[in-house]
């Protein structure tokens, strides 16, 4: 069983691929359990991102739980991330590798979710932002090099700087102070046990939900500051946009 270290990292033996053999599910049942139409399931099999079933006879194939897990994972990549078949295949190919570990699946999911361009780790234009990221990691004793998250942060810092939001390490430390206490709780809530498909699906759903939550809180804070400034300047009434009273 995988465990959680004092740093909040997952570690342990390679993940089980969840293939138990002896499948008895028909395509219609696979469709019902995954919520994916039979037409779409057949397409995924044709393009090679969903394994084919086991032939029971010349006209009937049967499926097992691993097919349900894979279909649910593909559906998340398609619906939550609008991923291409090639992007989906890149992740599922890694998941299907022999001896894949939880940390490898996590890193691949982060890379998939962040969408960091290939080659960003050596892009000379990102050198200053990579060093800023490394200094943040050194100050906090954060591990994760090389990894998708540190590459993603360097790329995000560069994008922010282009629109006038050039964050230095001290400002990043303030973000980290707020976010780090939640990280351990988030990791524990992901439940690192299960097949790689199950772990990956939980990870991608959590990353998407967390990103939306952070963006929403940030948007709310910026809207509130704009309204507060307008009130202080006397160009908006003092009771503008107050939330409802408690209990209403």
């Amino acid at each position: 069983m995988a465990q959680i270290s004092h740093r909040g990292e997952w570690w342990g033996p390679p993940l089980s691929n969840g293939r138990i053999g002896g499948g008895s599910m028909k395509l219609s049942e696979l469709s019902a359990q995954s919520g994916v139409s039979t037409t779409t399931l057949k397409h995924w099999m044709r393009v090679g991102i969903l394994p084919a079933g086991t032939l029971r006879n010349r006209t009937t194939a049967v499926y097992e739980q691993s097919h349900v897990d894979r279909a649910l994972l593909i559906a998340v990549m398609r619906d939550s991330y609008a991923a291409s078949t090639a992007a989906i295949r890149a992740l599922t190919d890694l998941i299907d590798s022999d001896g894949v570990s939880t940390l490898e699946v996590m890193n691949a999911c982060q890379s998939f979710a962040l969408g960091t361009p290939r080659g960003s780790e050596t892009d000379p234009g990102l050198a200053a932002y990579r060093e800023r990221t490394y200094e943040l990691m050194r100050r906090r004793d954060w591990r994760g090099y090389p990894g998708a998250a540190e590459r993603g942060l360097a790329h995000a810092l560069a994008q922010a700087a282009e629109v006038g939001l050039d964050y230095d390490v001290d400002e990043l430390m303030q973000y980290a102070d707020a976010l780090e206490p939640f990280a351990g709780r988030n990791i524990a809530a992901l439940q690192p046990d299960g097949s790689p498909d199950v772990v990956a699906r939980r990870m991608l759903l959590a990353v998407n939900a967390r990103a939306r939550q952070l963006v929403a809180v940030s948007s709310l804070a910026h809207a509130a500051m704009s309204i507060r400034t307008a009130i202080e300047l006397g160009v908006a009434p003092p009771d503008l946009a107050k939330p409802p009273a408690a209990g209403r």
Side-chain angles (χ1 to χ4, degrees):
M1 178 179 295
Q3 303 177 50
I4 301 176
S5 76
H6 71 287
R7 296 187 186 280
E9 299 166 339
W10 292 345
W11 57 276
L15 290 164
S16 164
N17 65 15
R19 289 172 172 76
I20 56 177
S24 59
M25 231 183 283
K26 292 184 178 180
L27 186 64
S28 58
E29 188 177 354
L30 172 59
S31 174
Q33 290 200 26
S34 64
V36 179
S37 71
T38 57
T39 300
T40 298
L41 291 170
K42 289 177 181 178
H43 170 70
W44 289 351
M45 290 180 212
R46 282 196 300 272
V47 298
I49 56 177
L50 178 66
T54 302
L55 286 176
R56 173 177 284 175
N57 53 49
R58 294 180 62 184
T59 60
T60 303
V62 291
Y63 307 88
E64 54 193 73
Q65 183 59 41
S66 63
H67 290 89
V68 178
D69 295 343
R70 175 58 56 85
L72 290 171
L73 171 60
I74 296 171
V76 167
M77 291 190 278
R78 177 197 65 182
D79 298 340
S80 297
Y81 292 91
S84 66
T85 298
I88 293 171
R89 184 182 291 111
L91 181 57
T92 56
D93 282 352
L94 179 134
I95 287 172
D96 290 336
S97 302
D98 291 336
V100 67
S101 70
T102 310
L103 286 174
E104 288 172 317
V105 172
M106 285 179 62
N107 190 62
C109 287
Q110 286 184 327
S111 181
F112 176 91
L114 290 169
T116 306
R118 290 185 179 181
S120 62
E121 65 274 16
T122 57
D123 184 346
L126 298 179
Y129 304 105
R130 283 196 295 271
E131 178 53 35
R132 207 171 295 179
T133 299
Y134 301 154
E135 179 58 22
L136 173 68
M137 295 172 71
R138 288 190 290 263
R139 288 193 193 182
R140 304 200 72 89
D141 191 24
W142 279 359
R143 313 300 169 90
Y145 172 83
E150 52 93 0
R151 292 195 303 271
L153 178 56
H155 186 255
L157 288 173
Q159 289 183 312
E162 289 178 358
V163 295
L165 300 173
D166 195 9
Y167 297 103
D168 61 26
V169 178
D170 289 335
E171 290 170 314
L172 293 176
M173 286 288 287
Q174 294 179 46
Y175 274 98
D177 286 339
L179 292 173
E180 187 170 308
F182 295 100
R185 288 166 48 192
N186 291 343
I187 291 292
L190 285 177
Q191 304 173 8
D193 295 323
S195 72
D197 287 310
V198 170
V199 170
R201 177 173 173 269
R202 289 184 189 136
M203 178 86 177
L204 292 175
L205 285 171
V207 168
N208 185 265
R210 186 173 67 244
R212 289 176 180 274
Q213 177 178 295
L214 289 174
V215 169
V217 171
S218 177
S219 298
L220 183 59
H222 283 77
M225 289 302 298
S226 297
I227 293 170
R228 185 177 300 167
T229 299
I231 293 172
E232 290 172 351
L233 292 174
V235 296
D239 60 348
L240 177 66
K242 282 189 174 182
R248 291 183 60 186

